[in-house]
Amino acid sequence: AIGELRIYFGSQTGKAESFAHDLCHEALGRGLVASVIDLESVSPSALVDGGGASVFLLSNTGDGDPPDNAVSFHRWLSDPATPVDSLRGLPFAVFGLGDRTYVHFNRTGVQADAGLERLGARRVLALGLGDDGGDIGADFRSWVGSGFFEAVAPFVKKSAGVVAAPLHETLGADLDFELLPARSDAEGCREEIGVEDAEKASAEATDVVAKFYFKASRARVALVRELRQRPRPDVGDSTAHVEFDVSGCPALSSYAAADTLELLPENDIHEVLQLLPLFGLVEGDLDRMVTFRPRAPGRTMWRPFPTPCRLRVALLRYCDLRRAPTRRMLAAMSSRLGDEAKGCIERLLKDPASMRLLNDESLAWTQYEFWQALLSTGSDRLDLGTFLLLCPRQLPRPYTIASSSSATPGFLHLCVSLASRGDGRRRGGVAGGGGAEGAEGRSPFRPLFALALHSFAPRAERDGEVSAVFVQATKDDVPIVMVGAGAGIAPFRGFLSELAIPTAMVFGCRGPDEDYLYRAEMEEAFAEVGSADGRRVLSHLVTAFSRHPDKRSGRYVQDRLKELAPELRGWLAPWGTASLGIGAGGTSASIDGDTASGGRFDSESAAAVGAGDNVHGGDGDKGTNGSAGIVRRGGGGGVVYVCGSSAAMGRGVLAALGEALGGGEAAVEALRAEGRLIQEVWGDAAPKPPERMAVFDPPARRPKKDNGATLAPDTVQELIEARRSIFPKDYTGAALDDSCVKQLLDVARWAPTHGKTEPWRFVVFSGFGRAALIDATLAFYRSREEGFWKVAWGGEFNGFAEFETHVERQRAEKWMRCSHLISICMRRQQPQEGKRLFPAHEEVAAVACAVQNMHLLATAMGRGAYWSSWFDHFTASSDGVQFHGLNAGEGDLWLGVFCLRPDAAYRASRRPLGEIARWRDSLEAKPDDGTCAGVDTFAAAPRLLRNKGQAWPRRDAAVEDVAALIRLRRSIFPKDYTGASVDDAMVRRLLDAARWAPSHGKTEPWRFVVYAGDGRNRLIDATLAYYNSRPVEFWKAAWGGEFPAFSDFEAHMERQRKEKWLKCSHLVAICMRRQQPEEGKRLFPEREEIAAVSCAVQNMHLLATSLRIGAYWSSWFDHFVDSADGVDAQGLCARKGDKWLGVFCIGRSDRLEQYRAASPPAGGGDNCVAASLGVRFGRSTEQPKAASRMRILEVSPLSGQPFFDVAGAFRAP
């Protein structure tokens, strides 16, 4: 029958509800009769009453569980006892809101779609699935646009002549807003708590999120203590144990272990104070009362939060000031602004890509940042009532409870991890996904936990119920295996207080003296006998320390699970099929940190292992019949509980579990199907491609046959000498086309890298995004203490105020004149089993070569470029590194900013060749004076002045030819050299090209020592002499003990002398002459000098490619290269900071055609070059190898072009 279009929503955070209102508004605009209905208020019979069509918008919570307001509906739909014809003939469609990072993507939507059809409903449109890890709004619009209204129209009544008002005009249309005078504490207290509203909440219409405000209980924070042994709150490395007194909260005091507590955070008061001038208010107005009243007497009122309340409470507690304005909010606010601001918002609303960027959580726009930027040039004021009504609501944050109500009656414990925003500021409030944060200048864990509420749907009502699983496991006396990392230990702490059977725990952290949470409690639980028959409650305690100081490579939970494979197969075998008892009758097992060994495990060895590294096993000497471990009648039937952040406890752990069980993914799914695997994860997933991508067109793979360089050597030389560092103060402010930036970032990938680590990372700031980088810089320096300014930059600035004035001047005169600011970052190689860890300076060198590729191509394009150090303290800080989504704790670096402009014209000069290179072609050692001048040198040349301001002269050569040359460059290994000589004149030419690299402050730190002829043996013999002097102990550790003694190394070296080094025509030692302190002159960081030398080597390598000469940058032999002996042997001075960076091998090879480098094909993942439209603030995760190497923060100015103009190749698909 024809009837109403009913739009049902099941929503946890309000997103599905928001989509429901948007869909309803569009339906009304099409003249259809439609309404939005909360699934919590629906009875089964009402679903088919009155005819019409139904659409279900269903979100997921946890790992595919239904949201709280849809639990009853989902249970009814899934119940086998529900009659199969209950919904016969009901036209329906389903759209699910999920996240692909979870194992059960959109399970609620998928099950609802199948369940509706099973009960006789008629599907009119295919199931739609939105991914919150991508652009879920676009997914929803695409689904609606695929024929939704055409599919439901035949079943829905039309309301002729009715045109829906603009969406923002329908919101709050029945409410009047009032800002009343301040009231006394006694009068205002009751309203702030919301007691009166709580009594009426069930009878009033409100949204999903607001229900929390009306029903929440208050709980007092009784205790906060740090859990980490070495906390570092400044970089987000802090975890707190928080205790709440819930004795006066009946809804909270009856919790079960591993239940969920939801906390409502508060905004930072400083952010509230920032906003007030935008409303035309002052701090004293915060004590005034706000209220919403119905316009029509007796009408049910929809209120966004409990009122009346103080304005202070409304802004601190109920408005999420950390989220950007929504589409609804923008439309409503713009109607009350002037023409200029209104026009800007209209352009923004018409640009879907810009709206996606604005609301991208990774971009982290706040309410103040947006509105301040919009209103900075005008006199407009924001309407307070509209703002309070439509500002995104503050969402409660879920936390797994870390205690047992039976063990700690009246108190509830949480394990809370601190998180840092990553831009020099700390968020005030509780972070989502298991993190909590506090504002600077106060305890991070003060009562920012303003309101607390036990989950609306207790765990026992959910399909994925946890406590009941463990209660049943206790009754059945089956093995329980708990796997967690970091704050994922929380539920296990509660279980250990209640379980009376042996349990195994695998726990991961960085190190035993760094972040081993609840260490004393865990070791005590292992040591104590807690069960009735004398067995330990925690029979096995297995730890994985990823950064143990005694380990050459990290160890993770995944590794431990694989080592425990025999035990896991016994514990988790199907019920009654296994007889393996750990610790029973001599079948115990232990892990000593490296290997698994069978046999008896006694208390003495347990103590020794526990003190050293990783494992505590069952004690075979205690208990009845020697049984102290995990054992059950008949064996098997165990339960696994995995808990932690999805980055640590995601698919990798499940894959390791499947491998340990021997059945892979099928074994894991079998456990899950039997209800014996519970996985509770939160936060960002393990490395995955960026959320929004614009895939660059990669170059074609190198052909199998080398077609040769397309540029003549003379042209390449001229290009190298024409490259200039064009200072931003000379930029015009004109915009550079995005396609040029795409080409530059593409050629960066073709730099040399040791061990294929490819450490370069780039974050591109353009348009308004440039201001974001500058503002983050100011935020960092604003937090510096007074003493900082006395020494920074030689005391140039008396305080932050003077520095801010300086930066604001530079903002206008330098940085905003740049078309693009590209942050240059280095992702540090991480330890891997069996893989060499390369020195950090080699990774810096690789990034520098990538930047030199960009600079040379920019020159070919006729574009200006400049590598700026930016502001030293910020670039060198962990805040600066984390601002770019990297991890300072893992050695990642921010190396400065690459500035771009549309054109270039500069002149430059360089040191003569004789000052930077010396020649050694015999075994005879000549005296060195340490000046690198006049000794074994080429003939001195006059100081050169080239290219006096003209652009690159060879414009007849296509830009693509230059890019092709860069892509053609290869590291040709010396073993493939023929031994034929390269003419000395060619080597001089390479060294001449090296001089034209960029260097900060014209330090020109590159120095080269050329070993040719017998000089090559001189270098090899010096290397052998150094290692011959090493003590016996040296050989036990060097190269992992590969050579037991010098004689073994010598034999190896002599083989290499013949098979590698003497096949080279020339061996050029690459050296860095360290800048020395000078009065009134800035001393540049060492890494900048290393980068300059690396750019010089890249010049040589590219010219060698055009000359068809084989070249390879070798580390040589690390210990010698890094030693003072090695540095001094090159005529430098180690004590002055000079460095030897390796050897540039030059030779002839007939295998150039066989060398090719992998070029990622189009298609995404690890095989694409992509740009992430947005920067992830405050989250540090390993990025996939190629997919996120280039991450774009692309925002355009507030005037002229669309507000956020994401053009061309950078537009998200």
Side-chain angles (χ1 to χ4, degrees):
I2 294 179
E4 186 179 35
L5 173 61
R6 295 171 176 151
I7 305 171
Y8 298 99
F9 69 87
S11 184
Q12 190 72 21
T13 64
K15 187 167 291 184
E17 182 180 13
S18 176
F19 283 0
H21 284 288
D22 290 344
L23 187 63
C24 180
H25 186 266
E26 185 172 352
L28 294 174
R30 292 171 176 259
L32 302 177
V33 178
S35 63
V36 175
I37 304 172
D38 186 340
L39 274 173
E40 190 173 47
S41 64
V42 175
S43 63
S45 60
L47 291 171
V48 292
D49 289 347
S54 298
V55 57
F56 299 84
L57 308 183
L58 301 169
S59 68
N60 291 256
T61 185
D63 189 10
D65 295 329
D68 292 329
N69 72 321
V71 169
S72 298
F73 167 75
H74 187 267
R75 187 186 300 110
W76 174 80
L77 200 63
S78 307
D79 190 347
T82 303
V84 294
D85 60 348
S86 299
L87 301 176
R88 181 172 300 281
L90 173 68
F92 81 93
V94 176
F95 182 83
L97 293 79
D99 190 328
R100 289 190 186 277
T101 63
Y102 288 90
V103 174
H104 296 298
F105 171 61
N106 256 313
R107 181 168 63 179
T108 298
V110 172
Q111 291 180 346
D113 185 70
L116 289 164
E117 184 178 43
R118 182 181 68 84
L119 298 184
R122 171 187 173 188
R123 185 185 297 104
V124 296
L125 187 65
L127 171 67
L129 299 177
D131 179 15
D132 202 28
D135 189 346
I136 196 168
D139 294 340
F140 179 64
R141 291 189 295 273
S142 175
W143 179 73
V144 173
S146 68
F148 171 78
F149 284 107
E150 293 78 2
V152 300
F155 311 99
V156 180
K157 292 188 294 186
K158 292 180 172 55
S159 180
V162 175
V163 178
L167 181 60
H168 66 270
E169 293 182 9
T170 66
L171 296 170
D174 298 326
L175 297 179
D176 283 324
F177 169 75
E178 294 184 64
L179 183 60
L180 306 173
R183 298 168 62 179
S184 68
D185 289 342
E187 291 176 298
C189 179
R190 187 170 175 81
E191 288 82 354
E192 285 186 21
I193 298 174
V195 173
E196 293 177 352
D197 291 296
E199 296 169 355
K200 308 172 186 175
S202 59
E204 293 188 348
T206 188
D207 59 31
V208 165
V209 176
K211 291 177 182 177
F212 184 96
Y213 308 148
F214 290 95
K215 298 180 179 179
S217 304
R218 287 180 65 89
R220 183 178 65 86
V221 178
L223 174 69
V224 177
R225 64 181 174 89
E226 175 62 52
L227 289 174
R228 297 193 185 214
Q229 288 79 12
R230 290 206 301 267
R232 295 188 300 162
D234 57 321
V235 296
D237 288 347
S238 179
T239 305
H241 171 79
V242 184
E243 296 187 5
F244 292 92
D245 182 351
V246 296
S247 55
C249 307
L252 299 176
S253 57
S254 59
Y255 68 88
D259 238 334
T260 300
L261 181 79
E262 293 185 329
L263 300 177
L264 184 67
E266 286 186 351
N267 295 306
D268 193 309
I269 186 61
H270 300 294
E271 295 188 337
V272 172
L273 295 175
Q274 280 181 319
L275 271 174
L276 291 180
L278 302 183
F279 302 118
L281 302 175
V282 296
E283 185 173 359
D285 291 319
L286 290 176
D287 291 325
R288 298 175 66 179
M289 305 298 292
V290 299
T291 188
F292 293 94
R293 300 184 185 280
R295 290 180 181 171
R299 183 163 183 171
T300 300
M301 183 175 68
W302 179 93
R303 284 188 286 179
F305 49 81
T307 57
C309 69
R310 287 186 175 88
L311 177 59
R312 180 190 309 274
V313 173
L315 291 174
L316 279 175
R317 188 174 296 169
Y318 303 128
C319 297
D320 189 348
L321 304 182
R322 286 274 168 184
R323 289 168 62 191
T326 62
R327 178 178 293 274
R328 294 183 187 177
M329 187 179 187
L330 288 170
M333 299 294 284
S334 67
S335 64
R336 294 166 174 80
L337 297 175
D339 292 340
E340 183 178 355
K342 183 184 296 184
C344 186
I345 291 179
E346 288 175 354
R347 292 194 298 273
L348 172 59
L349 291 173
K350 291 177 182 178
D351 188 342
S354 299
M355 283 301 301
R356 288 197 297 272
L357 277 177
L358 178 64
N359 289 286
D360 190 331
E361 293 181 1
S362 64
L363 189 57
W365 276 89
T366 68
Q367 290 286 328
Y368 172 76
E369 288 168 344
F370 177 85
W371 295 113
Q372 171 63 21
L374 183 71
L375 306 179
S376 59
T377 59
S379 58
D380 291 330
R381 291 289 177 264
L382 301 179
D383 182 77
L384 179 61
T386 307
F387 184 93
L388 293 176
L389 185 66
L390 297 179
C391 182
R393 298 272 75 85
Q394 191 77 274
L395 299 176
R397 277 42 163 188
Y399 293 86
T400 302
I401 296 173
S403 59
S404 163
S405 58
S406 61
T408 58
F411 287 87
L412 182 152
H413 301 171
L414 296 183
C415 178
V416 182
S417 293
L418 181 72
S420 173
R421 175 184 166 115
D423 58 358
R425 290 172 287 176
R426 295 273 297 286
R427 282 187 281 191
V430 183
E437 305 164 87
E440 293 184 41
R442 59 177 177 175
S443 168
F445 305 103
R446 276 189 7 149
L448 300 170
F449 308 90
L451 299 174
L453 177 70
H454 191 53
S455 295
F456 295 119
R459 289 277 187 178
E461 296 181 14
R462 295 181 175 276
D463 293 340
E465 184 248 50
V466 175
S467 295
V469 172
F470 277 77
V471 169
Q472 187 62 43
T474 303
K475 292 178 180 177
D476 295 333
D477 193 19
V478 300
I480 296 178
V481 182
M482 302 183 292
V483 184
I489 198 172
F492 308 149
R493 185 172 179 268
F495 290 145
L496 291 177
S497 301
E498 297 184 350
L499 294 176
I501 64 171
T503 305
M505 178 181 289
V506 182
F507 175 69
C509 62
R510 294 180 180 177
D513 300 318
E514 184 174 351
D515 58 344
Y516 191 167
L517 309 183
Y518 297 110
R519 178 175 184 173
E521 291 186 22
M522 295 302 104
E523 293 180 348
E524 182 180 357
F526 168 72
E528 288 185 347
V529 176
S531 61
D533 58 0
R535 295 178 296 177
R536 291 189 183 92
V537 168
L538 189 56
S539 61
H540 278 63
L541 175 56
V542 183
T543 51
F545 300 135
S546 62
R547 299 182 189 175
H548 197 289
D550 297 332
K551 299 294 181 182
R552 286 177 294 157
S553 61
R555 303 300 299 274
Y556 299 93
V557 167
Q558 296 94 311
D559 301 316
R560 291 300 185 222
L561 290 175
K562 295 174 185 177
E563 292 167 354
L564 287 169
E567 291 77 25
L568 287 170
R569 285 195 288 271
W571 298 338
L572 303 178
W575 186 282
T577 61
S579 60
L580 175 64
I582 303 305
T587 58
S588 64
S590 69
I591 311 297
D592 62 8
D594 291 308
T595 59
S597 60
R600 201 169 183 80
F601 189 75
D602 57 33
S603 58
E604 183 176 343
S605 61
V609 172
D613 186 19
N614 305 79
V615 171
H616 310 275
D619 182 353
D621 293 336
K622 293 186 180 181
T624 306
N625 298 323
S627 176
I630 295 181
V631 63
R632 70 169 303 278
R633 297 174 300 279
V639 175
V640 183
Y641 187 175
V642 179
C643 185
S645 69
S646 52
M649 295 286 103
R651 297 180 185 272
V653 167
L654 296 185
L657 179 61
E659 181 179 338
L661 294 177
E665 185 177 350
V668 172
E669 289 306 313
L671 284 178
R672 198 191 304 276
E674 295 169 11
R676 296 195 290 130
L677 170 62
I678 300 96
Q679 187 184 23
E680 185 163 339
V681 296
W682 58 78
D684 287 342
K688 65 174 186 173
E691 295 178 353
R692 292 167 182 76
M693 289 182 155
V695 179
F696 294 165
D697 296 327
R701 283 190 178 273
R702 284 275 296 113
K704 291 185 177 180
K705 291 189 177 181
D706 190 346
N707 295 325
T710 57
L711 290 181
D714 287 347
T715 305
V716 176
Q717 181 102 22
E718 290 176 355
L719 170 66
I720 289 171
E721 294 178 5
R723 186 217 54 79
R724 294 291 179 271
S725 294
I726 310 296
F727 300 120
K729 65 181 179 63
D730 294 326
Y731 292 6
T732 62
L736 182 66
D737 189 80
D738 288 337
S739 62
C740 294
V741 181
K742 179 182 77 170
Q743 287 179 280
L744 297 179
L745 293 171
D746 180 57
V747 298
R749 300 181 304 133
W750 296 93
T753 171
H754 207 159
K756 299 181 180 180
T757 58
E758 303 181 44
W760 41 81
R761 300 291 187 274
F762 301 100
V763 182
V764 181
F765 299 87
S766 68
F768 195 49
R770 299 166 297 176
L773 177 60
I774 300 167
D775 291 342
T777 304
L778 286 172
F780 171 81
Y781 283 102
R782 184 179 291 111
S783 64
R784 301 306 96 187
E785 298 178 353
E786 183 179 351
F788 168 85
W789 300 103
K790 296 179 181 178
V791 295
W793 298 293
E796 178 182 352
F797 306 105
N798 292 325
F800 173 73
E802 286 189 11
F803 174 75
E804 185 177 29
T805 301
H806 168 75
V807 172
E808 290 298 342
R809 191 163 53 244
Q810 286 198 333
R811 184 197 297 259
E813 298 174 359
K814 291 177 63 175
W815 310 123
M816 296 305 284
R817 289 187 178 187
C818 301
S819 173
H820 295 71
L821 297 173
I822 305 177
S823 280
I824 303 163
C825 304
M826 184 201 85
R827 183 74 177 95
R828 183 72 173 104
Q829 176 199 14
Q830 296 303 298
Q832 288 182 265
E833 188 72 37
K835 190 169 183 179
R836 176 184 168 193
L837 185 66
F838 299 108
H841 72 257
E842 293 191 6
E843 304 283 78
V844 171
V847 175
C849 290
V851 176
Q852 183 69 351
N853 281 354
M854 292 198 296
H855 212 158
L856 289 170
L857 186 61
T859 302
M861 292 175 174
R863 311 303 184 190
Y866 175 68
W867 184 344
S868 165
S869 301
W870 199 243
F871 295 88
D872 295 0
H873 312 92
F874 188 33
T875 54
S877 70
S878 58
D879 290 328
V881 174
Q882 287 184 230
F883 175 79
H884 293 87
L886 299 174
N887 190 338
E890 295 181 351
D892 299 345
L893 296 175
W894 177 19
L895 300 175
V897 174
F898 193 64
C899 310
L900 289 173
R901 64 167 278 180
D903 52 68
Y906 259 22
R907 54 192 292 177
S909 61
R910 286 294 185 271
R911 297 175 187 272
L913 198 55
E915 287 189 23
I916 67 157
R918 57 166 55 102
W919 197 273
R920 293 176 178 174
D921 54 7
S922 70
L923 291 173
E924 180 185 357
K926 300 179 182 179
D928 287 338
D929 61 6
T931 64
C932 275
V935 180
D936 301 344
T937 64
F938 301 139
R943 193 167 182 83
L944 297 179
L945 184 66
R946 300 281 185 94
N947 242 1
K948 300 180 180 180
Q950 295 90 355
W952 183 37
R954 292 298 297 267
R955 296 314 299 268
D956 55 308
V959 169
E960 180 50 39
D961 290 340
V962 176
L965 170 71
I966 292 172
R967 293 195 295 266
L968 187 66
R969 183 216 57 77
R970 294 291 180 271
S971 294
I972 309 297
F973 301 120
K975 66 181 179 63
D976 292 325
Y977 292 179
T978 63
S981 64
V982 174
D983 190 80
D984 289 344
M986 285 190 175
V987 178
R988 291 188 182 95
R989 192 167 183 178
L990 298 181
L991 293 167
D992 184 53
R995 298 181 306 136
W996 295 94
S999 69
H1000 208 158
K1002 299 182 179 179
T1003 58
E1004 302 179 44
W1006 40 82
R1007 298 292 186 274
F1008 303 99
V1009 181
V1010 183
Y1011 295 87
D1014 285 339
R1016 297 169 298 174
N1017 284 311
R1018 178 178 169 183
L1019 177 61
I1020 298 168
D1021 291 343
T1023 304
L1024 283 169
Y1026 170 82
Y1027 283 102
N1028 191 28
S1029 65
R1030 298 305 92 192
V1032 175
E1033 295 75 15
F1034 170 85
W1035 299 103
K1036 296 178 180 178
W1039 296 296
E1042 180 181 352
F1043 306 106
F1046 170 72
S1047 58
D1048 300 287
F1049 173 76
E1050 184 179 30
H1052 168 78
M1053 187 66 170
E1054 290 300 339
R1055 278 195 305 274
Q1056 285 202 332
R1057 185 197 298 259
K1058 178 180 178 181
E1059 297 172 2
K1060 292 177 62 175
W1061 308 125
L1062 291 184
K1063 283 187 175 183
C1064 301
S1065 174
H1066 296 72
L1067 297 173
V1068 182
I1070 304 165
C1071 306
M1072 182 201 80
R1073 169 75 81 181
R1074 185 72 174 105
Q1075 176 198 16
Q1076 298 302 301
E1078 291 184 56
E1079 186 70 32
K1081 191 169 182 179
R1082 176 184 168 193
L1083 186 65
F1084 300 108
E1086 179 188 82
R1087 68 187 191 185
E1088 293 189 7
E1089 304 283 78
I1090 293 174
V1093 175
S1094 305
C1095 291
V1097 175
Q1098 184 69 350
N1099 281 354
M1100 292 199 294
H1101 213 157
L1102 290 170
L1103 184 57
T1105 300
S1106 71
L1107 290 167
R1108 296 187 61 78
I1109 297 173
Y1112 174 68
W1113 184 345
S1114 165
S1115 302
W1116 200 242
F1117 294 89
D1118 296 358
H1119 313 91
F1120 186 34
V1121 168
D1122 293 338
S1123 71
D1125 292 337
V1127 174
D1128 293 344
Q1130 310 308 319
L1132 299 173
C1133 185
R1135 72 173 185 276
K1136 291 183 178 181
D1138 298 345
K1139 280 189 172 294
W1140 179 17
L1141 300 176
V1143 172
F1144 192 66
C1145 305
I1146 300 171
R1148 295 288 186 185
S1149 175
D1150 55 10
R1151 301 191 62 189
L1152 296 178
E1153 297 83 0
Q1154 300 177 33
Y1155 272 84
R1156 50 187 294 187
S1159 169
D1166 281 350
N1167 294 319
C1168 77
V1169 184
S1172 171
L1173 302 179
V1175 176
R1176 300 188 62 83
F1177 291 157
R1179 178 72 60 184
S1180 174
T1181 56
E1182 173 84 22
Q1183 297 300 320
K1185 188 170 183 181
S1188 63
R1189 191 156 301 125
M1190 295 161 230
R1191 306 166 66 202
I1192 312 300
L1193 174 56
E1194 163 64 22
V1195 218
S1196 294
L1198 286 169
S1199 58
Q1201 298 300 316
F1203 188 73
F1204 293 102
D1205 182 26
V1206 186
F1210 290 92
R1211 187 178 297 279

